[in-house]
Amino acid sequence: VNDSARRVARSPERRIVAALADLFRPGTDRVASIGIGDDAAVLRKRSRGLVWTIDTSVEGVHFERRWLPLADIGARSFHAAVSDVAAMGARPIAALSSLIVPARLGERTVRGVVAGQADAARKLRCPIVGGNLARGDALSVTTTILGEVEKPFSRGAARPGDEVWLVGEIGLAAAGLRWLMSGRRATGLDASSRRAIAACVAAWRTPRALVREGLGLKSRARAVIDVSDGLSGDAGHIAEDSAVRIVLEERAIRRTLRPELFCVCEILRLEAFTLALTGGEDYALLATGPKRLRVRGARVIGRVVKGGGLSVQTLDGRLRAAPAGFDHFYRH
Amino acid sequence: VNDSARRVARSPERRIVAALADLFRPGTDRVASIGIGDDAAVLRKRSRGLVWTIDTSVEGVHFERRWLPLADIGARSFHAAVSDVAAMGARPIAALSSLIVPARLGERTVRGVVAGQADAARKLRCPIVGGNLARGDALSVTTTILGEVEKPFSRGAARPGDEVWLVGEIGLAAAGLRWLMSGRRATGLDASSRRAIAACVAAWRTPRALVREGLGLKSRARAVIDVSDGLSGDAGHIAEDSAVRIVLEERAIRRTLRPELFCVCEILRLEAFTLALTGGEDYALLATGPKRLRVRGARVIGRVVKGGGLSVQTLDGRLRAAPAGFDHFYRH
């Protein structure tokens, strides 16, 4: 909606851009002295260090339009991008957005997606200070987020002796996605199954970036990552970057799983524990840290030991290799 | 190539991501303490203000693959994004990139585009410190750039009495694009026509963000914009945001036009002056400022007067309304 907006300003989309600017305006003054409508957003000076990330959601790859209300497409992409900032222990301060919207979808689609972005931006106190709007064959939403932090977390700071902490839920979003992919209808199922399905679908449709929780790990956690690819894959990243071995404990993980997950997995004939380990897009936080610094709300699901790689300690106490993580390219 | 990279790290694209990281690494240490491979890039503290922009190029909308070598797709998008930063009088400091690449195009395409981005990043001293790689049906390249500046230019600071300055060339890129769109072959044309076509096509394929020129306008220009949508449209933005009237002078503009533009326009039966006024993507800089502060290399092409809107003073001295600018949605 900087240069981008200009590019469509003389086309029939003129009204959309004006509407976008209005939607995005709230809160921008706090962070930007020149926002939407110039070549680039001008950010006010900040005394802290900055972290910076970009994330893209593509129709047909990360979502199908029939699975999501338009506003959720916008909000979901926004939270996914902010989640990376949360995993650095940073506070999001501002965002830019770039939309690709097929011409056939028209103004209603843009407004719908943007309303969801604006809503997420408001809730996360991370105003959208500019962006871009382009035509293209498939709908996609790219969000770039700047965050500020004194001392960012990295994935490479886990140490042998650390506990492995889970903050937030895992598996629900993956179960919700599998339900949507199955194309099944919930009619005919009992009320509690329907509620469980609704909960899983909601977890996939409307994830929440755990910003406050990330800030709460400050001075306590050593390594932090957000579980966007699945617990197994993301735990593997910490192990690799920290040059340690991570042991995930099946018993402890099972205790964290919600009954809704077991219910939907039963309906879809999926194994709940495996889905929790490999399913992505929950945007929970996975951290390691010493026991004495464990934060409230963090559940211990494993331990860091010397060595390398990732293993799972099964219910019978044996160690086995961890399964691979979620692959966003499910369509291919 | 932060989170993004991770998302494909367990798919066959693993090798690509490692290659990307190597390509992007040079220069990152200067600006980022944690770069490619974590949830977000961590930027070193800077004492100056920041400007921030995002830009997207989509296959089938902004370019066709048959018109551009892969590396030029990457470099061109990068320069286009940096151009917005140059128009703020800022120095680009770092970039993130998000690619959408159809699965059928495979690794060679990603490597080709990325090589062009890395090359542009090196030339512009603006390292790519992270990014994203996703599947999708159409190739697209999104680039977000942070720049630093003491006192950014705006579009809204032009004053009556200012001259209107052009820094860089206009019309050539639009003529090059029209040539490519025509599908014609240059075989059979004389050598000087072929040279002119090559020059115009090169202007479209390999634009250069005028960073040094933008910095050179510091303390001299009042309002600055980059000519991405066409002179007419972009001059109109300055007029609107500054609440002034801008008069572009046909005689002065014609004097700035290159012989190659006239030559290609003759072949394509286009009117060179109109194309120069409405064609986009040259990434020249358009500025206003007082005569005594005019910079070397800036050519006077008009004047700022009281009132509102944009007009063109034709060769006979009469004023007429300016034509509309270039529309990136040419396919629709």
Side-chain angles (χ1 to χ4, degrees):
Chain A
V1 204
N2 302 328
D3 194 49
S4 54
R6 281 198 296 121
R7 292 206 175 132
V8 290
R10 267 155 287 105
S11 71
E13 280 80 1
R14 188 195 296 251
R15 281 166 311 150
I16 308 184
V17 171
L20 300 195
D22 285 346
L23 263 172
F24 286 159
R25 195 96 53 197
T28 54
D29 285 356
R30 189 166 46 83
V31 292
S33 54
I34 299 182
I36 291 159
D38 213 297
D39 294 293
V42 177
L43 302 173
R44 297 194 189 285
K45 283 192 192 175
R46 336 260 330 172
S47 54
R48 290 167 157 209
L50 293 175
V51 299
W52 191 19
T53 189
I54 191 165
D55 196 57
T56 297
S57 297
V58 184
E59 180 185 358
V61 178
H62 301 88
F63 65 88
E64 298 290 344
R65 248 180 313 130
R66 65 180 185 279
W67 296 344
L68 281 168
L70 291 169
D72 285 352
I73 293 174
R76 193 170 179 279
S77 305
F78 201 91
H79 278 272
V82 171
S83 178
D84 279 326
V85 167
M88 304 300 280
R91 190 186 295 278
I93 54 175
L96 299 177
S97 145
S98 180
L99 297 182
I100 301 177
V101 183
R104 67 178 188 289
L105 294 183
E107 182 175 335
R108 201 187 65 87
T109 306
V110 179
R111 282 180 181 270
V113 172
V114 162
Q117 293 179 293
D119 189 54
R122 197 170 47 244
K123 283 183 183 143
L124 292 164
R125 298 182 188 210
C126 177
I128 298 169
V129 297
N132 200 73
L133 176 61
R135 288 285 167 230
D137 286 335
L139 182 64
S140 81
V141 184
T142 296
T143 315
T144 176
I145 308 278
L146 275 171
E148 63 177 357
V149 63
E150 209 68 70
K151 214 179 143 215
F153 295 125
S154 94
R155 297 171 177 183
R159 288 194 215 160
D162 279 359
E163 294 179 336
V164 176
W165 302 333
L166 176 67
V167 178
E169 305 293 338
I170 53 169
L172 293 173
L177 176 59
R178 296 303 187 287
W179 172 261
L180 292 168
M181 289 171 75
S182 77
R184 289 177 59 172
R185 296 287 181 94
T187 46
L189 296 175
D190 61 77
S192 100
S193 297
R194 290 204 307 269
R195 274 196 302 273
I197 291 165
C200 289
V201 167
W204 183 78
R205 276 188 184 147
T206 55
R208 188 170 69 82
L210 302 184
V211 173
R212 206 177 51 236
E213 291 83 349
L215 295 170
L217 291 168
K218 190 181 155 187
S219 308
R220 292 176 166 270
R222 290 210 171 96
V224 184
I225 196 169
D226 68 319
V227 186
S228 49
D229 296 352
L231 181 61
S232 174
D234 289 314
H237 289 297
I238 291 183
E240 190 177 341
D241 290 4
S242 302
V244 295
R245 178 174 186 173
I246 287 184
V247 180
L248 296 176
E249 297 159 8
E250 178 170 355
R251 191 178 312 275
I253 291 172
R254 283 188 179 274
R255 272 201 298 266
T256 73
L257 302 182
R258 296 276 297 265
E260 294 91 336
L261 174 61
F262 288 105
C263 175
V264 173
C265 283
E266 174 112 358
I267 295 168
L268 292 173
R269 294 164 194 270
L270 293 168
E271 217 285 293
F273 175 65
T274 307
L275 195 64
L277 219 53
T278 58
E281 307 190 291
D282 280 299
Y283 303 106
L285 296 177
L286 182 70
T288 80
K291 180 175 182 171
R292 64 187 172 83
L293 295 180
R294 191 194 309 160
V295 294
R296 213 193 209 333
R299 292 173 292 183
V300 181
I301 59 163
R303 57 193 190 270
V304 179
V305 297
K306 283 187 190 170
L310 176 71
S311 45
V312 175
Q313 186 163 32
T314 54
L315 296 179
D316 59 10
R318 274 188 281 194
L319 295 179
R320 64 175 175 85
F326 178 76
D327 186 346
H328 274 260
F329 297 165
Y330 62 80
R331 221 178 79 170
H332 306 287
Chain B
V1 206
N2 301 331
D3 192 48
S4 56
R6 280 198 296 122
R7 292 208 175 128
V8 289
R10 267 155 287 106
S11 70
E13 280 80 1
R14 191 194 295 250
R15 280 166 310 151
I16 307 184
V17 170
L20 300 196
D22 285 347
L23 263 172
F24 287 159
R25 195 97 51 197
T28 54
D29 284 354
R30 190 167 44 83
V31 292
S33 53
I34 299 183
I36 291 159
D38 214 297
D39 295 292
V42 177
L43 302 173
R44 297 196 189 283
K45 284 193 193 175
R46 336 262 327 174
S47 54
R48 289 166 158 211
L50 293 174
V51 298
W52 191 20
T53 188
I54 190 165
D55 197 56
T56 298
S57 297
V58 184
E59 180 185 0
V61 178
H62 301 90
F63 65 88
E64 298 291 344
R65 246 179 315 129
R66 64 178 186 280
W67 296 344
L68 280 169
L70 291 170
D72 285 351
I73 293 174
R76 192 171 180 278
S77 304
F78 201 91
H79 278 273
V82 170
S83 179
D84 279 326
V85 167
M88 304 300 280
R91 189 185 297 277
I93 53 174
L96 299 178
S97 144
S98 180
L99 298 182
I100 300 176
V101 183
R104 66 178 188 287
L105 295 182
E107 182 173 336
R108 201 186 65 88
T109 307
V110 178
R111 282 179 181 271
V113 172
V114 162
Q117 292 179 293
D119 189 55
R122 197 169 48 244
K123 283 184 181 143
L124 292 165
R125 298 183 187 207
C126 177
I128 297 169
V129 296
N132 200 75
L133 177 60
R135 290 283 167 230
D137 287 334
L139 182 64
S140 81
V141 185
T142 296
T143 316
T144 176
I145 309 277
L146 274 171
E148 63 178 357
V149 63
E150 210 67 71
K151 214 179 142 215
F153 295 126
S154 94
R155 299 170 175 181
R159 288 195 216 159
D162 279 358
E163 295 179 336
V164 176
W165 302 333
L166 177 67
V167 178
E169 305 293 338
I170 53 170
L172 293 174
L177 175 60
R178 296 302 188 288
W179 172 261
L180 293 169
M181 289 171 75
S182 77
R184 288 178 59 171
R185 296 287 183 92
T187 46
L189 296 175
D190 61 77
S192 100
S193 297
R194 290 204 305 270
R195 274 196 302 274
I197 290 164
C200 289
V201 167
W204 183 78
R205 276 189 186 147
T206 55
R208 189 171 68 82
L210 303 183
V211 173
R212 205 176 54 236
E213 292 82 348
L215 294 170
L217 290 168
K218 189 184 156 185
S219 310
R220 293 176 165 270
R222 289 210 172 96
V224 184
I225 196 169
D226 68 319
V227 186
S228 50
D229 297 351
L231 182 61
S232 174
D234 289 315
H237 288 298
I238 291 183
E240 190 177 341
D241 290 4
S242 303
V244 296
R245 178 173 185 171
I246 287 184
V247 180
L248 296 176
E249 296 159 10
E250 177 170 357
R251 189 177 314 273
I253 291 171
R254 283 187 178 274
R255 272 201 298 265
T256 72
L257 302 182
R258 296 275 297 264
E260 293 90 337
L261 174 62
F262 287 105
C263 175
V264 173
C265 283
E266 175 111 358
I267 296 168
L268 293 173
R269 294 165 195 270
L270 293 169
E271 217 284 295
F273 175 65
T274 306
L275 195 64
L277 220 52
T278 59
E281 307 188 291
D282 281 299
Y283 303 105
L285 295 177
L286 182 70
T288 80
K291 180 175 182 172
R292 64 187 172 83
L293 295 180
R294 189 194 311 158
V295 295
R296 213 188 197 348
R299 293 173 292 183
V300 180
I301 60 164
R303 58 193 187 270
V304 180
V305 297
K306 283 187 191 169
L310 176 71
S311 45
V312 175
Q313 184 161 35
T314 54
L315 296 177
D316 60 11
R318 273 187 282 194
L319 294 179
R320 65 175 173 86
F326 178 75
D327 186 346
H328 275 258
F329 298 165
Y330 61 79
R331 220 178 80 169
H332 307 285

